Amino acid sequence: MLAFLLDEHISPKVGAQIRQKYPAIPVYELQTWEQGRYLQLADHLLINLAIAHSLTLVTYDLRSIPGLLAELATQGRDHTGVIFVDQKTIPPDNFGALIRSLVYVWETEKDKDWRNRVIFLERRN
C-alpha cells in the first residue's frame, strides 16, 4: 500500500493536515518522524531509508534525486517510488494544493505497485 515520506522541504503541516482529514493515509514528515532524527540526511541515505520502510518519497528535489534513481537502476536496485513536486506547479507554501494532490494520488493509486515508480505530482483543485 502507498505510504508517503515527505522530505524536509515540505512543511510538517501538510502531513498533519492529511492525517487529521484523511486518517487512513499513511504519511510521515521527515521533520517529525522518529523525532526528526533523519533531518539533513544525505539524499542517497534518505532514499535508502524510504526503501527500508517501504515509503514513497515526496520531494521538491529535482536536482539530486533523479541522478540517484538512475544510479539505483544501474545497480539493479529497486526503490519504493518517488513523487516529484515542481515548485511552479505547486509552490511549497500552497499547502491546500499539495494536500489535495497527494490525497488524489493516494485515492487513485494506493493499491498499485509503487516499486520503481516515479511521477510528477499534478495540481488538483
Side-chain angles (χ1 to χ4, degrees):
M1 177 186 276
L2 179 60
F4 300 125
L5 176 60
L6 308 180
D7 81 0
E8 63 189 67
H9 302 290
I10 297 174
S11 171
K13 293 178 184 177
V14 172
Q17 288 181 24
I18 289 174
R19 271 192 307 283
Q20 180 181 11
K21 296 176 185 177
Y22 307 93
I25 300 176
V27 58
Y28 306 91
E29 311 83 35
L30 206 54
Q31 293 93 332
T32 60
W33 184 49
E34 299 286 333
Q35 291 75 47
R37 75 183 213 195
Y38 300 118
L39 274 174
Q40 299 181 350
L41 199 61
D43 290 337
H44 71 282
L45 297 175
L46 179 59
I47 288 176
N48 287 330
L49 180 69
I51 292 167
H53 292 276
S54 299
L55 300 172
T56 295
L57 180 63
V58 182
T59 183
Y60 279 93
D61 185 349
L62 299 170
R63 289 187 205 168
S64 62
I65 300 296
L68 293 172
L69 295 178
E71 270 184 46
L72 286 175
T74 300
Q75 297 167 0
R77 293 185 53 215
D78 293 330
H79 62 83
T80 48
V82 175
I83 298 173
F84 286 110
V85 189
D86 188 315
Q87 292 186 23
K88 294 176 187 169
T89 304
I90 305 173
D93 62 350
N94 191 337
F95 300 160
L98 189 51
I99 291 166
R100 285 188 299 276
S101 299
L102 287 171
V103 167
Y104 177 82
V105 168
W106 190 83
E107 288 175 340
T108 59
E109 306 283 330
K110 68 181 176 227
D111 295 323
K112 294 187 179 173
D113 182 4
W114 274 82
R115 184 182 31 201
N116 299 323
R117 254 184 107 184
V118 176
I119 68 167
F120 278 84
L121 192 62
E122 295 181 22
R123 186 181 181 127
R124 298 287 170 184
N125 292 320

